[in-house]
Structures are given as C-alpha cells and as structure tokens.
Amino acid sequence: MKASIATALLGVAAMSSAAEGLRAVPPDQLGHYWVMTNTTLEAEVPNMGRNLDKPTCAAVTYTIGNDGRTRDIVLRKVVPAGDLGSVAVSAVANLDYAATAANDADEPVFTYIVMPFNLPPDPAARARITAACRLADFPKGYR
C-alpha cells in the first residue's frame, strides 16, 4: 500500500514538473509557434444560465500538445461572473493547431486565450471588456 502511494505521488510530481517545463507563450506571441487551423468552432452552450446575454470575456489557460490538440484546459477568469466560462472551456477543447515553420520540432507550449461573448459594436467598449480578462501576470501562478 505504501509503495503504491509513493509511486502515485511520484507520477503526480513528474506530471507537474513536465507542465512546469513547458515554454509559456503569451497569446500575442503564439503565432511564432502554433497557428489555429479551425475554420469553425463548436462549443456547448447552456440553454439557461447566469449572464448568458451580457457582454462577457473569459480567460482560459491550456497546453497545445505536440499533436496540435489542446489539453490541461483551466478557466481562470470570467468578467462579469456567469455561466459563459463553461462555453469558453468547451470552445478551447475543440481548438486545433498546426506548428509553424519556426516550431519544426512541434514543441508543446502553455498559453491562454481571452474568449469574448456578446460584445457591443463600439471598438472602445469591446477593448475595455476583453481587457478585463487579460492575465497580466501570465504565466506566474497559472501552472
């Protein structure tokens, strides 16, 4: 019993170390490593919920694996609070990426995205809403 617990703890520590060893890439630099290949995006949207019709943003961290698929998806922030965070997580789970020529080794990366919902047409208002979800201290505290 003790040996299996120790083995399990070592496995968790190894996974944590692997995640920490990934290159952290802010969204504005992601195009140097990976480009999104989706032509459409599917997400699960609840029929009812809190603030589903309000201008909202959600910040989601995730890893792009060497296969271009997203994993380790974590909702970090939703402004204003509501149920659109689950939509953002569902959308990120369906993102696909291709490595750029500069990333010929298909290096996995840790990044984040700000997903906007119900934004008004005014560019200044749109920028103000999405700015609320920027992870200014990324990657500190997000691994």
Side-chain angles (χ1 to χ4, degrees):
M1 179 77 159
K2 288 181 184 177
S4 61
I5 291 172
T7 303
L9 289 174
L10 285 173
V12 169
M15 287 190 320
S16 175
S17 294
E20 288 176 11
L22 288 176
R23 179 185 305 269
V25 179
D28 63 339
Q29 299 295 312
L30 187 58
H32 297 290
Y33 299 90
W34 295 94
V35 292
M36 193 182 313
T37 60
N38 297 69
T39 56
T40 62
L41 190 57
E42 294 185 26
E44 294 181 24
V45 180
N47 291 328
M48 296 172 41
R50 196 168 44 125
N51 288 333
L52 293 179
D53 60 344
K54 302 281 189 241
T56 302
C57 64
V60 179
T61 59
Y62 59 101
T63 298
I64 301 172
N66 61 354
D67 59 357
R69 298 288 304 147
T70 57
R71 53 182 57 91
D72 307 321
I73 302 163
V74 178
L75 177 65
R76 299 298 181 160
K77 189 187 287 190
V78 179
V79 179
D83 294 322
L84 287 170
S86 65
V87 179
V89 168
S90 174
V92 171
N94 288 303
L95 294 177
D96 292 306
Y97 288 88
T100 64
N103 186 11
D104 60 355
D106 299 343
E107 177 186 0
V109 299
F110 177 67
T111 190
Y112 80 96
I113 190 169
V114 173
M115 302 285 289
F117 299 97
N118 308 315
L119 293 182
D122 176 52
R126 295 168 76 88
R128 189 172 48 256
I129 291 164
T130 56
C133 286
R134 250 180 294 163
L135 302 179
D137 54 349
F138 179 83
K140 290 183 183 177
Y142 293 106
R143 294 197 190 226

